[in-house]
Amino acid sequence: QSALTQPASVSGSPGQSITIPCTAISSDVGGFNYVSWYQQHPGKAPKVMIYDVSNRPSGVSDRFSGSKSGNTASLTISGLQAEDEAEYFCSSYTNTNTLVVFGGGTKLTVL
Amino acid sequence: QVQLQESGPGLVKPSQTLSLTCTVSGGSINSGGYYWSWIRQHPGEGLEWIGFIYYSVSTYYNPSLKGLVTISLDTSTNQFSLNLGSVTAADTAIYYCARYAMAQGSFDYWGQGTLVTVSS
């Protein structure tokens, strides 16, 4: 069982907003401060969309935002576009021997 | 612009050693602040962290790989490598090399990935 839990799928219509939660199921992720989010299109490598919970790398659309409350981090995508349809993974640095863990991934479908 | 590119055999026999190399361009592998990493993705599944190397002196591995993994770094060629021993069909996956930015706590650059199949 992954240390980070995500829903298997979410969906939304173009223009809508969706939120993908990522819940830490143990205290192994420490303060859960080093949370990052990755977008992966089929056949492509993952791409970082959010780092350090809520920071956007240069070049990433401001439609993508991250937040955290307690042991749940969230990725919100506003103004959904067809190109946002992809798999999204959360990740965290931990204070165990498994230094980095990933969530199981969430498939976003844009209806 | 930093770029990473994996290379190595696409087919490995069971019980043998899987060996991959990642060539880094656009930046030095000897620069501080980054872990050079391997991550794999089983077909149709999620991501699994394999391990990190930092400056050729520090390595960190996923304990689930039970001591079968070694990551090394060659500053003269700006490459780092993965060796995974005693492979089984369960090691069939897409293998990615990536740079982990310590200040950001994220994998900021990735290779395109290479599929390695374990089969006789």
Side-chain angles (χ1 to χ4, degrees):
Chain A
Q1 186 179 14
S2 174
L4 302 177
T5 300
Q6 301 178 234
S9 62
V10 298
S11 62
S13 299
Q16 288 186 332
S17 294
I18 63 94
T19 295
I20 301 173
C22 170
T23 301
I25 59 174
S26 78
S27 60
D28 289 347
V29 294
F32 207 23
N33 294 317
Y34 294 106
V35 179
S36 50
W37 289 91
Y38 301 87
Q39 176 192 65
Q40 186 179 35
H41 287 109
K44 300 294 187 183
K47 172 188 175 184
V48 61
M49 306 302 283
I50 296 289
Y51 66 91
D52 278 357
V53 176
S54 59
N55 293 287
R56 258 190 324 275
S58 172
V60 172
S61 171
D62 60 5
R63 298 186 299 104
F64 291 82
S65 62
S67 62
K68 186 189 75 167
S69 177
N71 67 336
T72 297
S74 298
L75 173 71
T76 297
I77 309 173
S78 58
L80 271 179
Q81 299 179 0
E83 68 206 48
D84 300 330
E85 185 163 294
E87 189 96 21
Y88 291 85
F89 296 93
C90 60
S91 177
S92 178
Y93 197 83
T94 82
N95 56 9
T96 72
N97 288 334
T98 307
L99 288 181
V100 173
V101 291
F102 290 93
T106 298
K107 171 78 170 104
L108 168 62
T109 300
V110 180
L111 301 170
Chain B
Q1 177 81 346
V2 174
Q3 293 184 315
L4 294 85
Q5 177 70 58
E6 305 89 350
S7 58
L11 180 64
V12 181
K13 288 182 167 48
S15 81
Q16 293 191 342
T17 296
L18 180 160
S19 296
L20 296 173
T21 296
C22 182
T23 301
V24 179
S25 58
S28 171
I29 204 169
N30 213 25
S31 54
Y34 304 105
Y35 290 130
W36 301 96
S37 318
W38 288 96
I39 294 157
R40 69 182 181 181
Q41 185 170 33
H42 293 101
E45 296 186 16
L47 300 166
E48 179 183 24
W49 172 73
I50 297 172
F52 287 144
I53 187 166
Y54 181 67
Y55 267 144
S56 281
V57 296
S58 299
T59 51
Y60 308 89
Y61 302 128
N62 191 323
S64 71
L65 293 169
K66 299 183 178 65
L68 297 174
V69 62
T70 303
I71 297 175
S72 59
L73 187 150
D74 186 342
T75 56
S76 67
T77 59
N78 224 37
Q79 296 176 326
F80 63 105
S81 298
L82 168 70
N83 280 337
L84 179 62
S86 302
V87 296
T88 71
D91 295 305
T92 293
I94 297 171
Y95 287 77
Y96 294 100
C97 59
R99 189 180 82 169
Y100 185 87
M102 295 161 66
Q104 296 179 350
S106 67
F107 297 98
D108 60 352
Y109 288 99
W110 296 66
Q112 66 185 26
T114 186
L115 174 63
V116 179
T117 301
V118 178
S119 175
S120 54

